[in-house]
Amino acid sequence: MSSPPSALFQPMRIGAMDLQHRVVMSPLTPFRADKDRNLAGGYANVPGVWSDSQIAGWKAIADVVHANGSFIFLQLWAILQTPASSAKREASMSWRQALFRGAPLVLRNQRLRPIFDGVEIHAVNGCLLDQFLQSVSNQREDDYGGSVENRLRFPLKVIDAVVRTVGAERTSLRLGPWSNYQDMGMKDPLPTFTSFIE
């Protein structure tokens, strides 16, 4: 008697994409851009999507991905001051405004639409949205800090802005409730992250 086929190799529809199988590559942070293509929130040689040369570089990569029958998502992330490197300083309003206003502007760039199949919002590993979610880093005393509801406010606004721009079927979210990278990791992440995904 033969065993049933593995679900790993069965087709699946996710959002607007029909996947031939369920094997995916997790997001990467490629430190391979030259000095004219970098400056991603302070990390040297991380590629961006705001210049003509960067967009051309991503198009060349996406063309190969699409030619092989697969899909590629644009990962949106912002780095501010991580708890590990900044003694848990507060996230600045100027960076929040830059992400909230800047992300939709990037996504409205018509040259990017045919390149990427969707957008992944990066909210893990001590990046900006993760810093707002987690009580170990979010020490604010305004409408964006303190209670779970307040700490969710800004990340939810970013998600809403991306969904309005590219559609819910092309929007994804990366979370890491138990990640302790860059001194993140609340004692009990379940209440916060359960409320967030609900």
Side-chain angles (χ1 to χ4, degrees), residues 30 47 54-67 72 115-116:
Q54 292 166 348
I55 292 171
W58 280 115
K59 183 179 184 309
I61 293 168
D63 285 348
V64 173
V65 171
H66 291 142
I72 185 169
I115 296 175
F116 296 101

Side-chain angles (χ1 to χ4, degrees), residues 18-38:
D18 290 313
L19 305 182
Q20 299 173 23
H21 51 73
R22 302 171 190 208
V23 179
V24 298
M25 178 181 282
S26 64
L28 304 173
T29 305
F31 292 89
R32 298 178 63 185
D34 60 37
K35 65 181 180 179
D36 296 323
R37 297 185 187 186
N38 64 14

Side-chain angles (χ1 to χ4, degrees), residues 10-145:
Q10 298 302 309
M12 181 178 189
R13 183 167 181 81
I14 298 179
M17 301 173 299
D18 290 313
L19 305 182
Q20 299 173 23
H21 51 73
R22 302 171 190 208
V23 179
V24 298
M25 178 181 282
S26 64
L28 304 173
T29 305
F31 292 89
R32 298 178 63 185
D34 60 37
K35 65 181 180 179
D36 296 323
R37 297 185 187 186
N38 64 14
L39 190 59
Y43 282 172
N45 303 105
V46 174
V49 290
W50 58 84
S51 74
D52 290 341
S53 64
Q54 292 166 348
I55 292 171
W58 280 115
K59 183 179 184 309
I61 293 168
D63 285 348
V64 173
V65 171
H66 291 142
N68 283 279
S70 195
F71 303 92
I72 185 169
F73 272 44
L74 168 65
Q75 185 184 65
L76 288 182
W77 57 310
I79 300 170
L80 189 57
Q81 302 155 330
T82 66
S85 64
S86 65
K88 299 182 178 162
R89 296 177 189 169
E90 294 180 356
S92 72
M93 179 63 77
S94 62
W95 269 96
R96 289 189 292 129
Q97 290 172 339
L99 182 61
F100 183 50
R101 295 175 184 165
L105 291 176
V106 167
L107 299 176
R108 286 189 195 111
N109 185 325
Q110 293 303 312
R111 292 178 300 163
L112 293 176
R113 291 295 181 102
I115 296 175
F116 296 101
D117 301 293
V119 172
E120 184 203 72
I121 301 167
H122 186 80
V124 68
N125 293 338
C127 289
L128 186 60
L129 297 184
D130 196 27
Q131 291 183 37
F132 274 88
L133 289 169
Q134 299 219 30
S135 59
V136 295
S137 53
N138 188 337
Q139 304 296 313
R140 301 186 68 89
E141 296 179 355
D142 58 11
D143 291 343
Y144 293 93

Side-chain angles (χ1 to χ4, degrees), residues 129-191:
L129 297 184
D130 196 27
Q131 291 183 37
F132 274 88
L133 289 169
Q134 299 219 30
S135 59
V136 295
S137 53
N138 188 337
Q139 304 296 313
R140 301 186 68 89
E141 296 179 355
D142 58 11
D143 291 343
Y144 293 93
S147 68
V148 170
E149 179 183 7
N150 284 356
R151 287 185 279 115
L152 300 183
R153 182 170 281 119
F154 178 63
L156 290 173
K157 285 184 177 184
V158 171
I159 292 169
D160 288 343
V162 172
V163 167
R164 283 195 307 270
T165 305
V166 302
E169 73 283 357
R170 296 188 184 280
T171 301
S172 65
L173 175 68
R174 184 178 184 200
L175 298 172
W178 286 274
S179 172
N180 60 7
Y181 185 69
Q182 299 192 116
D183 287 350
M184 302 304 285
M186 294 184 289
K187 186 175 181 180
D188 182 10
L190 283 177

